[in-house]
Amino acid sequence: MTSRPQPTRTRKQPGERRAEIVQTAADIALEEGLERITLRRVADALGVRPGLIGHYFPAADSLVSEAFSHAATKERESLLPHDEHGLPPVERLARFLVRLTDGEYRDLSRLWLNARHVSRFKSGLRSAVSAQESATRTALADLIEEGRRTGDFTTDDALGVALHILVTVDGLGAYANDDTQLDHPVLEDMAIATAERLLGLARGTLRTRA
């Protein structure tokens, strides 16, 4: 009787393995919350020993921070994709806001709420949240400023409008943790209506340009 040959394990390059760990931790954060990210939990998900995770991230807190940053960066890149930079600013803003309100980003809304709460107790995560907020705020303000220059938008305060929109979106995100999911049309259109009002756009403009 011959023994069955054991499958050969491919040793992953350090960069590939690290990226895999961060992505797995981000998936756990989105599905279960940042508090659930531990070296053992990530190791179990990957089918490896906890010591391997610890080799790349000796402290779980650093993995938590990087997992959040990874998820938030991917969110921003999917909301404001680089391949749409050639579109008129009004269309890019319309797509940004409609994507945010279509329900696909509900888990990310929960993650942001979770991160802001947990970051009160973790300085590394607090810095990560601040950096991601700044990056998103800057990207949106730059888009609005571009629209002001092209005449798409009427405003003399691009950053102020960006803050209005993002605070509105954050407020709407608070409902992401509400299991009853209050259903009212005003919730779906609030961020869009806010942007249209502040940018001198006719009601419905952003919906039709998305």
Side-chain angles (χ1 to χ4, degrees):
M1 181 177 179
T2 59
S3 60
R4 181 179 299 175
Q6 294 296 313
T8 303
R9 277 191 162 184
T10 303
R11 187 180 182 88
K12 294 186 177 181
Q13 294 297 313
E16 181 184 3
R17 176 64 80 184
R18 194 178 195 283
E20 180 184 55
I21 291 170
V22 172
Q23 180 62 63
T24 300
D27 292 341
I28 292 169
L30 286 165
E31 294 171 12
E32 304 173 24
L34 291 164
E35 298 92 336
R36 294 284 294 166
I37 296 177
T38 64
L39 303 187
R40 180 170 294 281
R41 177 72 181 83
V42 175
D44 288 346
L46 287 173
V48 300
R49 295 179 182 274
L52 177 63
I53 311 301
H55 172 74
Y56 290 92
F57 294 93
D61 283 358
S62 61
L63 179 54
V64 168
S65 299
E66 191 153 342
F68 168 76
S69 295
H70 178 74
T73 299
K74 286 185 67 175
E75 173 196 38
R76 185 169 52 257
E77 290 174 349
S78 66
L79 289 170
L80 294 168
H82 291 293
D83 61 5
E84 292 181 1
H85 280 195
L87 296 176
V90 66
E91 289 189 25
R92 292 172 59 205
L93 179 62
R95 294 185 183 199
F96 170 81
L97 290 171
V98 169
R99 284 166 180 150
L100 270 179
T101 57
D102 70 1
E104 183 180 341
Y105 290 87
R106 187 164 294 161
D107 285 345
L108 279 159
S109 293
R110 290 192 178 101
L111 179 62
W112 273 98
L113 286 170
N114 183 210
R116 288 189 174 108
H117 172 69
V118 175
S119 69
R120 294 170 58 203
F121 316 104
K122 297 181 183 294
S123 60
L125 180 59
R126 188 159 59 248
S127 295
V129 169
S130 178
Q132 291 301 320
E133 285 177 332
S134 178
T136 299
R137 186 168 59 244
T138 298
L140 183 56
D142 287 349
L143 169 56
I144 293 169
E145 177 60 25
E146 181 184 345
R148 185 195 67 78
R149 291 195 302 269
T150 60
D152 283 353
F153 306 141
T154 302
T155 181
D156 57 1
D157 185 4
L159 177 57
V161 175
L163 288 169
H164 267 281
I165 293 171
L166 292 174
V167 169
T168 301
V169 169
D170 282 346
L172 292 170
Y175 285 91
N177 281 337
D178 183 1
D179 291 334
T180 62
Q181 286 300 311
L182 178 61
D183 184 18
H184 195 287
V186 73
L187 295 177
E188 182 177 348
D189 288 337
M190 188 177 292
I192 292 173
T194 296
E196 289 171 340
R197 175 175 57 83
L198 294 171
L199 294 172
L201 300 173
R203 185 63 186 262
T205 298
L206 294 175
R207 280 284 181 193
T208 59
R209 296 295 295 270

